[in-house]
């Protein structure tokens, strides 16, 4: 009974920190101002519209053919004016087309689906933990409760070492094998779906936080696919679950500088050498939530590829809270008292995530929300923050008016519950994230792509639909990317959900208890 009381008290203490603060109660004006700054970057183009309308009205007023002919004759007799006007027109047109940022398109993406022999039910995980001899009884019971309440289903995937003889120490060779299986499996599929040749890839960006061997993961890909020698290769490390969207923004910046190019992004995480084998509860949670997964994304700025691209990149907004010590240390890879390495999750994690999310959506809102929503939101904000009218209730913008689909990082059931409540989203909007957590677990930076793959498999994406991807990461960071569908997307012939789609969505009532993580 004493052990049960101890577990309950620990669960209650942890659950108290599971609630994201109501970040919309206190929105900082400087982040709203930043969003409007981004929105007005292209104001010059909008300012030219009245001139175009006035010119069209003048042509319409001239009307009759004889008047137009007289105008032509006057110009014909004044060659200097004609040449000057033509040169000015050509110059302005050239400046416009050169200054205009190149559009970035998502050709296609692929999510890695491991072999069925790596499926890990709760019973398999419990058996592995018990036979390893690394955990005491309290830690075994804690992990069991976390897994049960986390929202993960019985078909997530774990590395091969889980099925090895008990006590086997994961090696560098096994970690490399996991990385190769995930990365090469996803890349093979996306190249096959897009019919892009490896030699056509001009940029390669790989993100993996915890496994960074030498040669790097990006070098492994270059060697395996014999990519060209002048490829611009990047290997992002230690940036957490939001690194996938950071990779997208980096690719966007590169594609806007280098014309007629393709960029390959690989988002993954490696579990083999990062499985915690101690009894520190702040570090045990990662064992319960993280699973094998990876995604390969192919972006392009080639105009000829627009007709076959799936999405156009519209916005990317990054928020970094690393200057704050509490935010910086809330997710940390460290060693416990016995020198065993793992990733520690601070009790302040949810509060930090809420602050980062508040900042991010305050900047993103002016870029995506309809004018009506922005006007109401700003009016309430000014009333509360400037006029100090405390009786005015904060207004929560309806982001469902800005986006048709939401891909929210599947970090855990508690995180999804709080984000759904704060953004006032319905079950249908949260379905891709919850089902991804159930079927594949937390696959770190690639989880957003499993969620988008779910919406595509359900044939929900129509031309013009807007997709909001939002992820959190160590540091602490909150990043958003907005996509716009360029065409109606039918059910894909290759998709990680196709063999189990008929079972989804599943009833999550069996996991109704909140996760103690």
């Amino acid at each position: 009974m004493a052990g049960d009381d101890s577990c309950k008290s620990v669960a209650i203490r942890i659950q108290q920190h599971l609630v994201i603060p109501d970040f919309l109660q206190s929105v900082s004006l400087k982040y709203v101002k930043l969003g409007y700054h981004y929105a007005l970057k292209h104001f010059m183009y909008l300012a030219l519209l009245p001139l175009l309308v006035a010119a069209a009205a003048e042509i319409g007023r001239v009307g009759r053919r004889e008047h137009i002919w007289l105008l032509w004759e006057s110009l014909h007799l004044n060659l200097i004016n004609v040449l000057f006007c033509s040169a000015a027109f050509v110059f302005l047109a050239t400046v416009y087309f050169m200054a205009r940022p190149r559009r970035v398109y998502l050709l296609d993406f692929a999510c890695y689906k491991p072999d069925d022999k790596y499926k890990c039910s709760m019973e398999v995980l419990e058996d592995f933990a018990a036979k390893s001899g690394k955990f005491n009884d309290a830690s075994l019971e804690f992990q069991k409760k976390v897994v049960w309440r986390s929202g993960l289903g019985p078909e997530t995937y774990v590395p091969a070492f889980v099925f090895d003889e008990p006590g086997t120490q994961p090696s560098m060779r096994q970690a490399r094998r996991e990385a190769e299986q995930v990365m090469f499996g996803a890349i093979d599929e996306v190249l096959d779906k897009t019919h892009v040749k490896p030699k056509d890839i001009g940029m390669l960006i790989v993100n993996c936080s915890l496994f960074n061997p030498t040669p790097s993961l990006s070098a492994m890909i270059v060697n395996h696919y014999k990519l060209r020698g002048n490829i611009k290769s990047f290997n992002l490390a230690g940036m957490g679950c939001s690194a996938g969207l950071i990779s997208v923004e980096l690719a966007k910046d590169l594609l806007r500088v280098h014309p007629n190019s393709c960029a390959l992004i690989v988002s993954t995480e490696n579990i083999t050498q990062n499985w915690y084998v101690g009894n520190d509860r702040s570090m045990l949670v990662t064992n319960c939530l993280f699973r094998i997964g990876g995604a390969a994304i192919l972006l392009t700025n080639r105009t000829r590829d627009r007709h076959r691209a799936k999405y156009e990149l519209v916005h990317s907004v990054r928020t970094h809270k690393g200057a704050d010590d509490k935010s910086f240390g809330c997710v940390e890879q460290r060693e416990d008292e016995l020198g065993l390495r793992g990733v520690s999750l601070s009790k302040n994690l949810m509060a930090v995530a809420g602050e980062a999310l508040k900042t991010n959506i305050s900047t993103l809102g002016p870029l995506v929300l309809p004018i009506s929503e922005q006007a109401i939101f700003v009016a309430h904000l000014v009333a509360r923050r400037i006029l100090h009218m405390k009786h005015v209730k904060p207004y929560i913008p309806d982001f469902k008016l800005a986006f048709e689909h939401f891909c929210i990082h599947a970090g855990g059931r508690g995180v999804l519950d709080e984000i759904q409540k704060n953004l006032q989203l319905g079950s249908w909007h949260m379905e891709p994230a919850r089902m991804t957590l159930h079927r594949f677990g937390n696959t770190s930076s690639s989880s957003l792509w499993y969620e988008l793959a779910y919406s595509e498999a359900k044939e929900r994406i129509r031309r013009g639909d807007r997709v909001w991807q939002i992820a959190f990461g160590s540091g602490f960071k909150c990043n958003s990317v907005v996509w716009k569908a360029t065409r109606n997307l039918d059910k894909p012939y290759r998709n990680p959900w196709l063999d189990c789609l008929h079972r989804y969505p599943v009833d999550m009532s069996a996991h109704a208890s909140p996760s103690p993580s």
Side-chain angles (χ1 to χ4, degrees), residues 345-364:
L345 304 181
S346 166
K347 62 182 181 180
N348 298 317
L349 175 60
M350 298 300 289
V352 168
E355 287 297 317
L357 180 61
K358 176 189 71 175
T359 303
N360 192 270
I361 68 171
S362 298
T363 305
L364 181 67

Side-chain angles (χ1 to χ4, degrees), residues 98-104 252 255-260 301:
M98 291 183 66
R100 185 182 61 174
R102 292 183 177 90
R103 295 188 177 185
V104 176
K252 177 195 72 174
L255 288 170
R256 287 185 170 175
V257 174
H258 302 280
N260 198 35
N301 58 12

Side-chain angles (χ1 to χ4, degrees), residues 10 42-43 89 171 203 230 236 245 252 267 332 348-349 368 389 395 469 483:
V10 171
H42 303 292
F43 176 75
F89 175 79
S171 64
M203 301 137 194
N230 65 344
L236 307 184
L245 299 188
K252 177 195 72 174
S267 293
E332 181 182 16
N348 298 317
L349 175 60
V368 298
M389 301 171 64
Y395 180 74
Q469 290 182 318
W483 303 94

Side-chain angles (χ1 to χ4, degrees), residues 45-57:
Y45 304 131
L46 299 177
L48 292 177
L49 287 178
L51 297 178
L52 295 177
V53 172

Side-chain angles (χ1 to χ4, degrees), residues 65-102:
R65 292 179 56 186
E66 55 270 22
H67 290 172
I68 297 177
W69 177 254
L70 290 175
L71 180 62
W72 167 251
E73 286 292 328
S74 64
L75 291 175
H76 182 69
L77 295 175
N78 196 339
L79 184 60
I80 296 179
N81 289 342
V82 172
L83 291 177
F84 176 79
C85 292
S86 300
F89 175 79
V90 172
F91 174 76
L92 293 175
T94 302
V95 170
Y96 169 76
F97 284 107
M98 291 183 66
R100 185 182 61 174
R102 292 183 177 90

Side-chain angles (χ1 to χ4, degrees), residues 222-376:
V222 171
N223 176 262
H224 181 79
Y225 291 95
K226 309 304 177 188
L227 301 181
R228 64 199 200 193
N230 65 344
I231 189 169
K232 294 170 178 59
S233 176
F234 301 85
N235 202 93
L236 307 184
M239 304 193 79
C241 300
S242 67
L245 299 188
I246 295 175
S247 299
V248 170
E249 185 172 61
L250 175 57
K252 177 195 72 174
D253 293 339
L254 291 170
L255 288 170
R256 287 185 170 175
V257 174
H258 302 280
N260 198 35
S261 301
C262 285
L264 175 63
I265 299 173
V266 180
S267 293
T268 187
E269 192 53 79
N270 194 284
I271 300 176
T272 297
Q273 286 196 318
N274 294 287
W275 195 274
Y276 177 62
V277 290
N279 293 290
D280 187 325
R281 292 194 173 183
S282 69
M283 303 165 78
L284 282 171
V285 176
T286 55
N287 290 359
C288 304
L289 297 178
F290 283 87
R291 297 293 184 265
I292 285 183
I297 305 98
L298 203 56
L299 304 181
T300 183
N301 58 12
R302 300 184 301 195
T303 305
R304 67 176 182 269
D305 288 331
R306 185 189 185 284
H307 73 281
R308 66 190 189 103
K310 284 187 171 182
Y311 305 94
E312 180 182 350
L313 180 58
V314 182
H315 298 294
S316 60
V317 174
R318 291 176 56 184
T319 299
H320 204 306
K321 292 288 187 177
D324 176 64
D325 292 340
K326 182 174 67 174
S327 300
F328 176 76
C330 68
V331 179
E332 181 182 16
Q333 186 181 24
R334 62 176 179 84
E335 295 171 334
D336 65 9
E337 295 178 351
L338 300 179
L340 301 173
R341 187 175 58 192
V343 177
S344 172
L345 304 181
S346 166
K347 62 182 181 180
N348 298 317
L349 175 60
M350 298 300 289
V352 168
E355 287 297 317
L357 180 61
K358 176 189 71 175
T359 303
N360 192 270
I361 68 171
S362 298
T363 305
L364 181 67
L367 300 175
V368 298
L369 287 170
I371 296 298
S372 58
E373 285 293 299
Q374 294 188 49
I376 299 174

Side-chain angles (χ1 to χ4, degrees), residues 269-498:
E269 192 53 79
N270 194 284
I271 300 176
T272 297
Q273 286 196 318
N274 294 287
W275 195 274
Y276 177 62
V277 290
N279 293 290
D280 187 325
R281 292 194 173 183
S282 69
M283 303 165 78
L284 282 171
V285 176
T286 55
N287 290 359
C288 304
L289 297 178
F290 283 87
R291 297 293 184 265
I292 285 183
I297 305 98
L298 203 56
L299 304 181
T300 183
N301 58 12
R302 300 184 301 195
T303 305
R304 67 176 182 269
D305 288 331
R306 185 189 185 284
H307 73 281
R308 66 190 189 103
K310 284 187 171 182
Y311 305 94
E312 180 182 350
L313 180 58
V314 182
H315 298 294
S316 60
V317 174
R318 291 176 56 184
T319 299
H320 204 306
K321 292 288 187 177
D324 176 64
D325 292 340
K326 182 174 67 174
S327 300
F328 176 76
C330 68
V331 179
E332 181 182 16
Q333 186 181 24
R334 62 176 179 84
E335 295 171 334
D336 65 9
E337 295 178 351
L338 300 179
L340 301 173
R341 187 175 58 192
V343 177
S344 172
L345 304 181
S346 166
K347 62 182 181 180
N348 298 317
L349 175 60
M350 298 300 289
V352 168
E355 287 297 317
L357 180 61
K358 176 189 71 175
T359 303
N360 192 270
I361 68 171
S362 298
T363 305
L364 181 67
L367 300 175
V368 298
L369 287 170
I371 296 298
S372 58
E373 285 293 299
Q374 294 188 49
I376 299 174
F377 174 75
V378 170
H380 283 71
L381 189 63
V382 170
R384 289 176 55 84
R385 303 285 292 181
I386 297 180
L387 303 180
H388 303 291
M389 301 171 64
K390 300 300 183 182
H391 65 280
V392 176
K393 295 182 178 179
Y395 180 74
I396 302 176
D398 187 358
F399 280 90
K400 296 187 294 294
L401 298 176
F403 306 108
E404 285 74 30
H405 308 280
F406 296 79
C407 296
I408 301 168
H409 171 55
R413 181 186 177 91
V415 175
L416 297 179
D417 287 344
E418 290 301 319
I419 291 179
Q420 179 178 8
K421 181 179 72 174
N422 277 279
L423 295 183
Q424 297 184 348
L425 302 178
S427 299
W428 188 88
H429 298 99
M430 297 296 298
E431 186 179 310
R434 293 192 186 279
M435 297 307 107
T436 295
L437 182 64
H438 181 272
R439 178 63 181 86
F440 294 98
N442 183 345
T443 61
S444 189
S445 58
S446 64
S447 65
L448 299 174
W449 301 103
Y450 287 90
E451 296 173 24
L452 188 56
Y454 179 87
S455 296
E456 289 188 2
K458 287 288 187 179
E459 300 185 73
R460 295 178 175 179
I461 309 293
R462 302 287 92 184
R463 180 178 181 180
D465 282 2
R466 296 151 298 180
V467 181
W468 182 15
Q469 290 182 318
I470 185 166
F472 306 91
S474 58
F476 190 85
K477 299 177 288 294
C478 178
N479 301 323
S480 290
V481 166
V482 179
W483 303 94
K484 184 176 181 180
T486 58
R487 55 188 171 89
N488 294 338
L489 299 181
D490 299 325
K491 182 179 292 186
Y493 71 95
R494 297 185 68 175
N495 186 289
W497 293 92
L498 294 183

